[in-house]
Amino acid sequence: MLIRNISVLQGSELDFVLRTNVKIQNNVFQKIQSKIQTNSNEESVDCEGLLLIPGFINAHTHIGDSIGKDVTLNSSVDEKIHPVFGAKSKILKNTSQENLSNFMKNTCHSMLRKGITTFVDFREGGLDGVILLKKVLSNIPIRSIILGRLEFYQKSTEIKKNLPLPKEKTEDLNQLLKECDGIGVSGANENSTSILEYYSKTPKLRAIHSSETIQSISASKKVTGKSETIRALSLKPHFLVHMTFASKSDLTISAKKTRGIVICPRANSSLAEGIPDIELMQKAGCTLALGTDNVMINSPDMFREMDFLWKATMGIHKKRIDPKEILKMSTVNGGKVLNKDIGVIENGKIADCIFLDKHALDLEPMHNPHASIVHRASESAIKAVMIGGKIVYGKI
């Protein structure tokens, strides 16, 4: 396919190119330049008036709780989402597989329409939960990365004793990893260091929630005498999630030992826990990606995530932030954290992208494309979504 006369946010710095041509072949961007020869057998589309941007990477979700939207609004964090006794856990256990499937499908279609081409799901429910999500995704063209978990959580007394993973659970873990892309651990406060170190030897993608609340940080120090983040790093995670209340020293060591941090500002705010300090994180050298977290408490919308993070951060710190940096968190940085050839429009990268209407009512005139996308664009400005070189939503 040859896409002609289109504006593009190109490369890892999302450089704005007013007019160029983009050739897509074998699911990747093969050539991006102003003059490209065409042949009679090649599909060619004139995209005058459109802006091509990388597909959004929603780097942290829990779509299994899509059925529980806005329940327990006035409850504490643990009362809402604790993996053992929270309302979410009860909902997942007491809802039929059919109902869970239907609402997860709805969420996937919602994400596609909002330009999310890849999502990373921390899937609850052990092996059965992973298989259910894979079944849901079997006829939905969105790109997914499923991080499963064992439904096994330790008490503080067991963590103090540093008890290992029971032998009967090691085979469960092996079976789980055969079906998913890696493990998404609930947190260090539900696992002994021995178990985290055992998980660290697994060959696939590893990630863990860490330092999301002041209470979780205090619990780690009380039980083990160690920082929650330092304990989480025992997993040797490829990335951490949240880090909303991580210390400067924790952030510095995390920058050295992981690919980055996935932050979820709207979810943190929905839980009345504040928002991550992205300036402190960036100064520590952390690569930041964005996620929307639990559908139960937040909508899977990267436009709204970027808008909220940009304005709330400037409002709190009273300092200007380049909107391009926020947009990179939803695209380029997601690819970096996942170590995949996505999130960037450049030669050789997978052709996941969004076609935006530059003449949309809320966008025209577009004097600053990065700002327009971050705080003015919405689902209504999307003309089409492409994944792997194929249009999966809309048309051009």
Side-chain angles (χ1 to χ4, degrees):
M1 173 186 286
L2 180 62
I3 299 167
R4 296 182 288 107
N5 302 320
I6 193 164
S7 297
V8 177
L9 293 188
Q10 186 174 351
S12 60
E13 289 302 314
L14 301 176
D15 297 319
F16 178 67
V17 179
L18 179 60
R19 186 186 302 275
T20 191
N21 299 319
V22 180
K23 185 172 184 177
I24 297 170
Q25 190 171 339
N26 297 327
N27 304 327
V28 303
F29 298 111
Q30 188 189 65
K31 191 178 293 186
I32 305 167
Q33 60 187 54
S34 58
K35 294 182 179 180
I36 299 178
Q37 286 188 330
T38 61
N39 60 65
S40 57
N41 297 323
E42 186 174 40
E43 180 184 4
S44 178
V45 184
D46 189 343
C47 289
E48 175 72 36
L50 299 184
L51 171 62
L52 191 69
I53 72 171
F56 294 140
I57 300 169
N58 190 345
H60 184 64
T61 68
H62 295 264
I63 72 166
D65 57 20
S66 298
I67 197 169
K69 296 183 182 76
D70 300 327
V71 300
T72 63
L73 280 177
N74 297 319
S75 303
S76 69
V77 176
D78 280 346
E79 288 171 335
K80 287 181 180 179
I81 60 175
H82 193 279
V84 179
F85 58 78
K88 170 180 173 170
S89 176
K90 295 174 183 176
I91 289 170
L92 292 178
K93 288 176 181 175
N94 295 314
T95 303
S96 71
Q97 300 280 282
E98 182 180 2
N99 276 344
L100 287 177
S101 295
N102 288 337
F103 285 98
M104 284 195 286
K105 286 178 184 176
N106 288 349
T107 295
C108 289
H109 287 298
S110 173
M111 287 193 286
L112 274 178
R113 294 182 180 193
K114 294 175 174 66
I116 295 169
T117 52
T118 297
F119 76 101
V120 182
D121 199 72
F122 270 43
R123 185 68 187 112
E124 299 92 344
L127 180 61
D128 290 341
V130 169
I131 290 173
L132 179 64
L133 180 53
K134 289 177 72 174
K135 184 177 179 181
V136 165
L137 293 166
S138 61
N139 59 356
I140 302 175
I142 195 168
R143 193 181 303 283
S144 65
I145 295 173
I146 303 173
L147 302 182
R149 74 166 68 154
L150 291 179
E151 288 299 322
F152 178 77
Y153 308 100
Q154 290 179 308
K155 298 176 182 178
S156 59
T157 53
E158 296 170 317
I159 293 172
K160 278 185 178 180
K161 294 177 182 178
N162 200 26
L163 296 183
L165 189 69
K167 288 185 178 179
E168 65 269 18
K169 290 293 180 180
T170 60
E171 182 54 32
D172 291 345
L173 179 62
N174 291 336
Q175 293 302 315
L176 178 75
L177 288 170
K178 288 179 182 178
E179 295 292 336
C180 59
D181 300 293
I183 55 174
V185 180
S186 60
N189 288 334
E190 292 83 45
N191 296 278
S192 68
T193 300
S194 175
I195 288 180
L196 293 171
E197 289 176 346
Y198 185 86
Y199 287 158
S200 76
K201 298 170 185 175
T202 56
K204 293 188 174 182
L205 194 62
R206 298 181 298 276
I208 184 170
H209 301 97
S210 182
S211 302
E212 181 177 6
T213 68
I214 293 173
Q215 292 79 10
S216 69
I217 290 174
S218 298
S220 179
K221 289 182 179 178
K222 182 179 179 181
V223 173
T224 68
K226 293 182 180 180
S227 133
E228 184 183 358
T229 297
I230 294 300
R231 293 200 62 245
L233 291 173
S234 300
L235 176 71
K236 295 182 181 177
H238 295 98
F239 63 91
L240 297 160
V241 179
H242 296 306
M243 298 289 281
T244 316
F245 294 96
S247 67
K248 183 178 179 181
S249 60
D250 282 347
L251 291 170
T252 299
I253 193 170
S254 298
K256 295 175 181 177
K257 291 185 175 291
T258 72
R259 295 177 191 156
I261 298 170
V262 177
I263 58 173
C264 308
R266 282 192 304 144
N268 292 158
S269 297
S270 296
L271 294 168
E273 292 295 336
I275 68 170
D277 187 338
I278 62 172
E279 183 180 31
L280 184 63
M281 291 175 169
Q282 289 173 326
K283 283 183 177 179
C286 301
T287 297
L288 303 181
L290 272 181
T292 60
D293 207 357
N294 304 70
V295 180
M296 175 180 165
I297 58 175
N298 194 33
S299 59
D301 189 330
M302 298 297 278
F303 288 117
R304 295 178 72 176
E305 203 71 41
M306 292 187 293
D307 183 31
F308 176 80
L309 177 61
W310 190 44
K311 292 173 181 173
T313 300
M314 290 192 293
I316 291 169
H317 296 287
K318 299 179 178 62
K319 293 175 71 174
R320 293 288 175 188
I321 299 171
D322 185 348
K324 182 194 291 188
E325 291 304 308
I326 304 295
L327 185 55
K328 285 167 69 175
M329 294 178 195
S330 291
T331 54
V332 177
N333 291 358
K336 289 180 179 178
V337 165
L338 297 171
N339 195 31
K340 292 189 176 294
D341 288 332
I342 55 177
V344 183
I345 299 175
E346 65 181 25
N347 292 349
K349 298 291 186 179
I350 296 173
D352 292 356
C353 48
I354 306 165
F355 295 80
L356 292 176
D357 181 4
K358 292 195 296 183
H359 304 302
L361 292 176
D362 292 329
L363 300 184
E364 191 175 39
M366 190 183 285
H367 297 298
N368 183 320
H370 305 103
S372 294
I373 294 165
V374 166
H375 83 134
R376 295 186 188 277
S378 65
E379 175 181 352
S380 64
I382 294 176
K383 295 290 288 186
V385 176
M386 174 180 283
I387 297 179
K390 297 180 180 179
I391 298 294
V392 297
Y393 171 71
K395 61 182 180 179
I396 53 175

